[in-house]
Amino acid sequence: MRHRMTRRGRVAAAAGAVALLAAVAGCANEPSDGVTTLSFFQFKGEALEDFNQIIADFEAENPDIRVVQNQVADADTAIRTLLVKDKAPDVITLNASGNFGRLAQAGVFYDFSNEPVLDTINPAVQEIIADLGTNGDEVSGLGYVNNANGVIYNQDIFEEQGLEVPETWDELIAVCDALEAAGITPFYGTLADSWTGLPSFNALGAYPAMDDFFDQMREQGEDTGPDSEVSFEKNFAEAMDQQYQLFEYMQDGYRGATYDDGNAAFANGEVAMLLQGIWALSPVKGINPDIRAGIFPYPAADDPADRVLVSGVDVVVTMAKDSPRKEEALRFIDYLFQKDVIEEFAASQNMVPSVEGAELSDEPAIQSVAPYFDEGRIAGFIDHQIPPSIPLAAIDQQFLFSGDAEAALATLDSEWSKVAARTIPVTGE
């Protein structure tokens, strides 16, 4: 087992990373002593310790390369600033969000199309990244580890009540009714934090978003509305109705409860399920390490075979398009994707590794979603396709308060059209 840094070491490393960010380009000087220094920009504060260990192991095997980790909280803003100033780091990790997609479209990242490491990665993961935006046929980033957005459920409660994991929408509603009949609250709602409505919106909305929905939305641009070929009003009505139906099975007072309240209630066995993703497991297990929790995809389809698991690429690895240290950067990237390296990182971060054949951790929730990754039955977060200037979380939260799906969907279409008029070419080019 690899040794982990002490808390003092983490604090010192974090302070050093902040100080180094402003001079990230200066860290990567040409070697004067036979050692090439790479600047490694990464966005996850909770991964600082893991990456420090990876770097130490890599440097031990590659004494001609030194890697300096620069970790910052607001990575999207920081990386844009560095790119504008022509100070791109050598190796970069980012969340595979809409912001990454827009940078990829701008052609600022290296094209990995012909790199052997690409062949080791689950193609379904790479498709999620490509859907965010590409520069022609370039592969601008490599999926590293992935999360899972599904229904978290207490396996002990399900077993005690004789409940099977639902595979269709009707079965999910039947499970909720059975739990209520047994005096058990099905879900814990946390709408005091508006964003907590989005996991279920993303998962249920993944079904109507299939078949190039967002590509068509971008082509329509500012002409999107009630009379356009596709729109939120036309395509998302059923998904919104389903989301509202699930929120009818929440605890009393769910509008004023927070994300932390929900994690604590689930950890303490007060409810059977959470409409959250795998990211909630760490705080849940921090409260109750012995809880047995699994995850199943939202069964929005009538046919169990049509189910998909919504997954975000939590970490995407890329590099500067024209790095003068390309050979060394690729060597470090190849090391990151070695099976033993990515397996340990994914297990530590409670994520699913993207490398095909990599072993998953023994965590029951991870094991429960493994088949969907193995079979390529995964889809990306649809909120990554929606421009950030559209207040999606607030719109969805208001809908869950009022139940007025028509107004919410009309607002989404209107906001999309306004943004498109300013920023999205109607030709889709």
Side-chain angles (χ1 to χ4, degrees):
M1 178 179 290
R2 290 173 178 161
H3 297 292
R4 299 300 185 191
M5 289 177 62
T6 64
R7 181 179 181 279
R8 180 180 298 177
R10 292 197 300 271
V11 172
V18 172
L20 284 164
L21 177 63
V24 65
C27 293
N29 296 319
E30 294 302 318
S32 58
D33 55 359
V35 176
T36 298
T37 299
L38 296 177
S39 59
F40 175 44
F41 179 101
Q42 78 90 8
F43 73 101
K44 286 177 71 72
E46 62 270 33
L48 181 67
E49 182 179 336
D50 287 332
F51 277 126
N52 273 336
Q53 187 61 59
I54 289 173
I55 289 168
D57 293 343
F58 171 77
E59 290 177 341
E61 295 182 17
N62 298 268
D64 61 323
I65 299 177
R66 176 175 176 250
V67 180
V68 176
Q69 179 179 184
N70 301 285
Q71 191 279 315
V72 290
D74 190 0
D76 287 334
T77 298
I79 195 64
R80 286 176 178 275
T81 300
L82 291 169
L83 291 168
V84 167
K85 294 182 177 181
D86 198 23
K87 295 182 178 180
D90 297 301
V91 180
I92 302 164
T93 70
L94 293 167
N95 177 252
S97 65
N99 288 323
F100 173 83
R102 285 182 283 277
L103 289 172
Q105 285 179 306
V108 298
F109 297 132
Y110 181 76
D111 180 12
F112 292 90
S113 298
N114 297 317
E115 296 300 334
V117 65
L118 179 62
D119 297 329
T120 70
I121 301 173
N122 186 331
V125 172
Q126 287 301 126
E127 186 174 342
I128 289 174
I129 296 175
D131 285 343
L132 298 173
T134 63
N135 181 36
D137 295 329
E138 291 185 357
V139 176
S140 300
L142 305 171
Y144 196 57
V145 292
N146 316 280
N147 58 36
N149 176 26
V151 178
I152 303 178
Y153 70 103
N154 185 310
Q155 293 177 327
D156 288 333
I157 290 178
F158 268 54
E159 290 174 8
E160 290 165 3
Q161 298 299 318
L163 299 172
E164 299 289 335
V165 170
E167 296 184 344
T168 67
W169 182 257
D170 288 343
E171 289 177 2
L172 175 58
I173 298 306
V175 164
C176 293
D177 289 337
L179 288 166
E180 281 197 335
I184 300 170
T185 302
F187 300 107
Y188 198 96
T190 58
L191 283 184
D193 294 320
S194 63
W195 70 268
T196 62
L198 292 182
S200 51
F201 175 88
N202 278 315
L204 294 167
Y207 294 96
M210 292 178 179
D211 300 322
D212 302 321
F213 171 80
F214 281 105
D215 285 341
Q216 294 181 67
M217 288 284 280
R218 283 185 282 267
E219 288 176 4
Q220 290 171 175
E222 62 185 300
D223 295 327
T224 294
D227 298 324
S228 59
E229 184 175 349
V230 298
S231 67
F232 289 108
E233 292 175 82
K234 282 187 174 181
N235 298 73
F236 274 66
E238 182 180 6
M240 297 293 269
D241 288 344
Q242 289 174 327
Q243 186 186 27
Y244 193 78
Q245 188 175 8
L246 293 184
F247 272 78
E248 293 179 331
Y249 290 99
M250 300 292 171
Q251 85 287 0
D252 291 338
Y254 70 88
R255 296 184 180 189
T258 67
Y259 174 69
D260 290 340
D261 294 334
N263 291 337
F266 181 78
N268 293 324
E270 297 173 22
V271 296
M273 295 177 283
L274 280 181
L275 301 183
Q276 278 295 339
I278 206 166
W279 52 84
L281 287 180
S282 290
V284 165
K285 293 214 162 193
I287 297 169
N288 180 5
D290 299 323
I291 192 170
R292 294 176 60 235
I295 295 180
F296 61 83
Y298 288 66
D302 294 329
D303 187 345
D306 291 337
R307 287 172 299 161
V308 296
L309 178 75
V310 168
S311 172
V313 182
D314 192 70
V315 177
V316 60
V317 177
T318 187
M319 59 184 280
K321 191 173 190 68
D322 299 310
S323 172
R325 290 159 290 278
K326 171 184 170 181
E327 187 273 329
E328 292 85 358
L330 286 172
R331 210 192 314 171
F332 180 54
I333 290 173
D334 287 341
Y335 182 83
L336 290 174
F337 282 86
Q338 289 183 14
K339 282 186 180 180
D340 61 330
V341 176
I342 197 172
E343 286 171 353
E344 185 167 347
F345 181 89
S348 176
Q349 296 293 311
N350 217 20
M351 295 286 171
V352 178
S354 68
V355 170
E356 293 186 300
E359 292 186 8
L360 278 62
S361 75
D362 295 332
E363 164 61 48
I366 295 288
Q367 290 294 327
S368 67
V369 300
Y372 294 92
F373 285 89
D374 293 341
E375 299 166 14
R377 294 165 58 191
I378 57 177
F381 283 73
I382 61 173
D383 63 349
H384 290 171
Q385 304 283 356
I386 297 174
S389 56
I390 296 177
L392 176 61
I395 293 170
D396 188 55
Q397 181 194 46
Q398 179 58 39
F399 154 67
L400 293 171
F401 287 166
S402 69
D404 192 343
E406 185 176 345
L409 294 172
T411 299
L412 286 174
D413 282 336
S414 174
E415 291 296 317
W416 180 278
S417 296
K418 290 176 184 176
V419 174
R422 301 191 301 267
T423 61
I424 305 176
V426 295
T427 60
E429 296 177 356

